[in-house]
């Protein structure tokens, strides 16, 4: 019976996708067919789905999306890019370095890959082409760096992972073998993402330096100007303060991630209206419309994916996968290689948030059976799926960068492949060295 239900669940899902149904409809339709086949009350279908979108931590999602949209409208993102550009100075490939740094800064605010690519790309792609960077390379680097937006905290995918992991307890046999596992929390994921985010960004910086030396992309001739750096820091003081307030408040325990998202919104409104004086009604309305669209889409996917995931757990799919893997190999490096390859493949075809909501109920119980810390799993999953932003056919960042700079998607993909390879190397390092993810949370008492 279990095998029949699983075949029905995935078969219905794949058929609906192939005929062009949106992923939300595909997930909900497949889950409903399985519910009716099992003779379950359809009312429980709605109850499970409603509970999934009624949790307090989920309030952080629309608040962080709104904060990111408002910060772009308030001129905060532009000032962060200016700071990054002045800091890069005469370094070989300096504007490329500035692009990566700007994505790091903005990613710590927006929590979104495409939003980071759009905000930074609008400023940096034209700037790089003026300095004789090829348009293809400038677009590829910006698209690749935009993926950092979901790794550097606060991160929307981390919020979704934390919510999806709620209630997924380690199997008794895993507890008996490895002892009690630490719990997953959004705050802990935020802290755990700092060092892996720096590892991922370092891989881009190293490759950018190598390519820039080969292509002759030099830095500024003027060298570092202390006066320009100080001027940029003065102009961007309130912009730099934003991530410090958001993350510092979370790490210091002053407020939860959900509360910090609301603080970010009020801070941005205050800065945009009273300090920068760039936030007006029209820009605020556009930010609200963007937030409504993104949040509504995510909540609909979460609504359907929760029921889909619950059915997988009830049919013991994670346990069966874990048992088959254990019977084949117990080598942790082989297990990680298989999981990363699978995640990279999924990221090519599925939106990051949808993939997290579908895969977490399956992957987390499997990794418990191998004694892997769930927070470490979350960081590796998010890092691996971030590569999907620059790999076709989905590749959202590719289309954003193409729309901004005008280069064809095909030419951007060709120049982005080395950055994808650098990302993959960094992901394996993060996966094989758990302390990169867990050292900082342990240091802070998690």
């Amino acid at each position: 019976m279990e095998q029949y239900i699983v075949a029905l669940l995935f078969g219905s899902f794949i058929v609906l996708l192939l005929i062009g149904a949106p992923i939300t409809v595909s997930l909900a339709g497949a889950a409903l067919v399985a519910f009716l086949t099992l003779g379950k009350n359809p009312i429980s279908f709605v109850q499970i789905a409603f509970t999934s979108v009624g949790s307090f931590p989920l309030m952080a999602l629309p608040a962080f999306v709104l904060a990111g949209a408002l910060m772009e409208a308030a001129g905060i993102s532009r000032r962060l890019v200016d700071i990054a550009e002045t800091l890069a100075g005469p370094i070989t490939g300096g504007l490329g370095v500035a692009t990566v740094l700007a994505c790091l800064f903005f990613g710590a605010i927006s929590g979104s890959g495409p939003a980071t690519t759009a905000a930074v790309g609008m400023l940096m792609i034209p700037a790089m082409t003026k300095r004789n960077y090829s348009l293809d390379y400038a677009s590829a680097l910006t698209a690749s760096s935009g993926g950092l937006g979901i790794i550097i905290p606060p991160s929307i995918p981390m919020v979704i992972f934390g919510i999806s992991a709620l209630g997924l307890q380690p199997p008794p046999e895993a507890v008996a073998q490895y002892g009690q596992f630490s719990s997953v929390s959004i705050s802990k994921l935020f802290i755990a993402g700092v060092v892996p985010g720096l590892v991922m960004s370092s891989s881009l910086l190293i490759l950018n330096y190598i390519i820039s030396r080969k292509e002759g992309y030099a830095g500024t001739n003027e060298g570092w100007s202390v006066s320009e750096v100080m001027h940029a820091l003065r102009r961007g003081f309130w912009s730099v303060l934003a991530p410090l307030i958001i993350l510092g408040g979370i790490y210091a325990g002053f407020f939860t991630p959900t509360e910090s998202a609301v603080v970010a919104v009020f801070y941005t409104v205050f800065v945009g209206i009273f300090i920068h004086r760039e936030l007006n009604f029209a820009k605020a309305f556009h930010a609200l419309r963007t937030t409504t669209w993104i949040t509504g889409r995510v909540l609909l996917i979460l609504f359907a994916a929760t029921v889909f995931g619950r059915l997988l757990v009830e049919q013991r799919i994670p346990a069966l996968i874990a048992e088959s893997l254990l019977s084949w190999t117990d080598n942790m490096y082989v297990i990680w290689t298989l999981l990363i390859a699978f995640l990279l493949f999924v990221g090519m075809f599925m939106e990051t948030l949808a993939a997290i909501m579908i895969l977490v109920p399956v992957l987390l119980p499997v990794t418990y059976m191998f004694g892997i810390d769930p927070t470490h799993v979350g960081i590796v999953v998010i890092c691996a799926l971030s590569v999907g932003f620059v790999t076709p056919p989905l590749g959202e960042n590719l289309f954003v960068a193409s729309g901004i700079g005008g280069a064809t998607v095909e030419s951007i993909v060709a120049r982005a492949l080395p950055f994808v390879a650098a990302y993959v190397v960094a992901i394996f390092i993060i996966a094989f060295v758990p302390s990169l993810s867990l050292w900082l949370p342990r240091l802070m008492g998690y």
Side-chain angles (χ1 to χ4, degrees):
M1 184 63 177
E2 288 178 354
Q3 293 178 342
Y4 172 72
I5 293 298
V6 172
L8 182 66
L9 193 63
F10 281 101
S12 304
F13 176 63
I14 293 170
V15 168
L16 287 168
L17 281 179
L18 290 176
I19 63 175
I23 191 165
T24 304
V25 175
S26 302
L27 287 168
L32 184 58
V33 168
F35 252 74
L36 296 175
T37 303
L38 288 167
K40 290 177 176 284
N41 187 344
I43 297 298
S44 63
F45 177 100
V46 180
Q47 289 172 335
I48 293 169
F50 178 77
T51 303
S52 70
V53 297
S55 62
F56 175 72
L58 193 58
M59 288 177 61
L61 172 65
F64 274 130
V65 173
L66 178 59
L70 287 172
M71 284 177 181
E72 186 175 357
I76 289 177
S77 60
R78 188 177 67 253
R79 286 167 173 80
L80 290 174
V81 170
D82 289 343
I83 292 171
E85 192 170 352
T86 56
L87 289 175
I91 299 172
T92 299
L95 282 183
V97 174
T99 301
V100 177
L101 294 178
C103 287
L104 272 177
F105 289 150
F106 192 75
I109 296 171
S110 75
S112 165
T116 301
T117 303
V120 176
M122 290 288 289
L123 301 168
M124 295 308 300
I125 291 177
M128 281 192 279
T129 53
K130 286 180 182 176
R131 293 279 182 84
N132 298 320
Y133 285 70
S134 74
L135 178 59
D136 299 342
Y137 180 78
S139 302
L141 179 59
T142 305
S144 302
S145 303
L148 298 171
I150 71 167
I151 304 169
I152 298 296
S155 159
I156 294 170
M158 287 182 186
V159 173
I160 297 300
F161 185 94
I163 293 166
S164 301
L166 289 175
L168 293 176
Q169 300 299 324
E173 54 267 40
V175 175
Q177 183 173 357
Y178 299 105
Q180 193 63 44
F181 289 83
S182 62
S183 59
V184 180
S185 71
I186 296 171
S187 298
K188 187 177 179 182
L189 284 166
F190 281 1
I191 297 170
V194 173
V195 176
L198 294 176
V199 172
M200 295 284 279
S201 58
S202 297
S203 68
L204 294 185
L205 290 172
I206 293 169
L207 186 58
N208 171 68
Y209 178 78
I210 294 170
I211 294 175
S212 295
R213 283 198 64 179
K214 181 180 177 183
E215 302 285 345
Y217 300 145
T220 58
N221 296 324
E222 298 82 12
W224 275 292
S225 170
V226 176
S227 61
E228 284 186 14
V229 171
M230 295 306 297
H231 176 68
L233 288 173
R234 278 196 301 272
R235 281 191 75 240
F237 172 77
W238 296 97
S239 302
V240 174
L241 204 59
L244 293 179
I245 290 174
I246 297 167
L247 299 177
I250 296 171
Y251 298 163
F254 292 130
F255 34 71
T256 67
T258 303
E259 292 164 346
S260 76
V262 178
V263 169
V265 171
F266 280 98
Y267 176 84
T268 305
V269 171
F270 175 80
V271 172
I273 294 176
F274 297 106
I275 298 175
H276 293 170
R277 297 181 181 179
E278 295 183 24
L279 185 61
N280 53 36
F281 179 79
K283 290 181 177 179
F285 182 78
H286 178 72
L288 287 169
R289 186 170 59 183
T290 301
T291 302
T292 303
W293 166 249
I294 294 174
T295 304
R297 185 180 63 178
V298 172
L299 290 181
L300 282 173
I301 296 172
L302 179 61
F303 192 91
T306 300
V307 185
F308 192 92
R310 180 73 65 86
L311 282 169
L312 289 176
V313 173
E314 287 179 356
Q315 300 305 310
R316 296 189 68 253
I317 303 307
L320 293 174
I321 293 172
E323 288 169 7
S324 62
L325 282 174
L326 282 167
S327 65
W328 183 54
T329 180
D330 59 356
N331 187 303
M332 190 63 66
Y333 299 112
V334 175
I335 298 298
W336 270 126
T337 301
L338 293 173
L339 289 179
I340 291 170
F342 174 68
L343 290 167
L344 292 172
F345 177 77
V346 169
M348 293 170 63
F349 299 95
M350 192 177 293
E351 185 185 29
T352 302
L353 300 181
I356 290 172
M357 288 182 272
I358 294 170
L359 295 176
V360 167
V362 178
L363 290 182
L364 211 54
V366 170
T367 54
Y368 277 134
M369 296 299 294
F370 292 93
I372 305 173
D373 187 284
T375 300
H376 181 48
V377 174
I379 297 302
V380 175
V381 167
I382 291 167
C383 288
L385 291 177
S386 73
V387 180
F389 284 117
V390 283
T391 50
L394 191 60
E396 295 169 87
N397 287 7
L398 297 172
F399 297 103
V400 173
S402 175
I404 293 171
T408 64
V409 173
E410 292 81 5
S411 63
I412 297 174
V413 169
R415 296 304 299 265
L417 288 177
F419 294 110
V420 171
Y423 266 153
V424 171
V425 171
I427 291 166
F428 274 101
I429 292 172
I430 293 165
F432 290 170
V433 187
S435 58
L436 291 173
S437 302
L438 303 177
W439 169 74
L440 197 55
R442 287 170 182 162
L443 185 68
M444 302 189 72
Y446 282 86

